[in-house]
Amino acid sequence: MMNAMNVPSKRSTLEKKLDKVIATLFGVLLTLCLIGAIGSALFVNERFFYLQLGNNVESEQFNPGNRPLVFVLSIFTLITLYSPIIPISLYVSIEMIKFIQSTKFINNDLRMYHSETNTPALARTSNLNEELGQVEYIFSDKTGTLTRNLMEFFKCSIGGETYGTGVTEIEVGVANIEEVH
C-alpha cells in the first residue's frame, strides 16, 4: 500500500490558476445574467408605453402578460451579450507563448548545451519553461557544497550471489583493519 498514493497533477500552476480565473468569470457571467433576467421579468410593464410593449407586441420576449417566458428569453439574450466576458482566446494565446518560448529560446540557448554528451537543449513539452524555475531539492554534502547527485553501481548481493566488481566502503574498512594488524 506504500505505492497507493495520489498521482500528482501534470498540469502547470499557470493552467490551474487560469482555470480558476475562467471559472470565476463564468460565475460572474451567470450572476449577471440571472440578475438581468429577473430584472427584465419584474420590470416589464405596460406603463412603459414608449417601448410599445402593449398587446400588439410582435415578439413574446417583452410581453408583460407572460413573465416566465420573458425571464427565459432574457437569460439567453444576456448570455449571448455578456459572453465576451470569458476570454476563450486566452488559452490559445498562452499556449502559443509557451510554444514560442520552448522552440525559439530553450532549443537555441547555447548556455544549455551539454558538452560531455554533445547534447543541445531540446524542449519536448511546452510546459518546460514553467518547470525550469521550480527547484524542489538541492543536494549538498556536509560542508554545504553542491553535489552532482551522480550514483555509480559498485556491488550488490541478491540471494547470496554477489554482482558487481566494485569495492565497497565496508571492504575498504576491513582491509585497513587487516593492514594495521
Side-chain angles (χ1 to χ4, degrees):
M1 294 308 289
M2 289 177 59
N3 291 333
M5 292 188 279
N6 291 337
V7 178
S9 174
K10 294 190 179 194
R11 301 184 62 208
S12 68
T13 54
L14 177 67
E15 289 172 340
K16 291 177 189 175
K17 186 173 291 241
L18 189 62
D19 286 345
K20 289 179 184 176
V21 168
I22 296 294
T24 303
L25 287 174
F26 188 73
V28 168
L29 172 72
L30 287 180
T31 304
L32 286 173
C33 291
L34 282 174
I35 291 170
I38 290 170
S40 178
L42 290 178
F43 294 113
V44 67
N45 201 331
E46 292 176 3
R47 69 178 180 178
F48 300 116
F49 63 92
Y50 53 88
L51 296 177
Q52 299 177 357
L53 300 177
N55 292 334
N56 60 353
V57 177
E58 295 174 6
S59 171
E60 288 293 316
Q61 182 172 1
F62 300 110
N63 186 358
N66 195 357
R67 292 182 192 272
L69 183 63
V70 171
F71 173 77
V72 171
L73 293 176
S74 294
I75 282 251
F76 288 122
T77 302
L78 292 172
I79 286 176
T80 304
L81 289 174
Y82 293 154
S83 63
I85 290 176
I86 300 176
I88 302 298
S89 63
L90 186 61
Y91 281 113
V92 176
S93 301
I94 288 180
E95 283 301 318
M96 286 182 61
I97 289 169
K98 290 193 298 188
F99 175 75
I100 291 169
Q101 285 177 343
S102 65
T103 57
K104 296 296 179 193
F105 296 121
I106 294 176
N107 289 349
N108 296 330
D109 192 355
L110 295 177
R111 292 181 290 173
M112 294 181 82
Y113 175 77
H114 192 253
S115 59
E116 293 176 12
T117 59
N118 192 21
T119 308
L122 179 63
R124 294 189 178 107
T125 176
S126 62
N127 290 341
L128 185 62
N129 56 351
E130 296 174 30
E131 296 168 4
L132 283 176
Q134 300 174 2
V135 176
E136 192 167 342
Y137 300 104
I138 296 179
F139 294 101
S140 67
D141 57 10
K142 292 179 185 176
T143 62
T145 58
L146 296 177
T147 61
R148 290 181 59 186
N149 193 23
L150 182 65
M151 302 176 101
E152 297 177 14
F153 177 75
F154 284 111
K155 189 184 281 189
C156 74
S157 175
I158 301 174
E161 187 161 341
T162 304
Y163 298 96
T165 58
V167 179
T168 63
E169 292 180 16
I170 296 171
E171 291 173 338
V172 170
V174 169
N176 288 340
I177 291 173
E178 289 178 356
E179 286 178 11
V180 172
H181 294 298

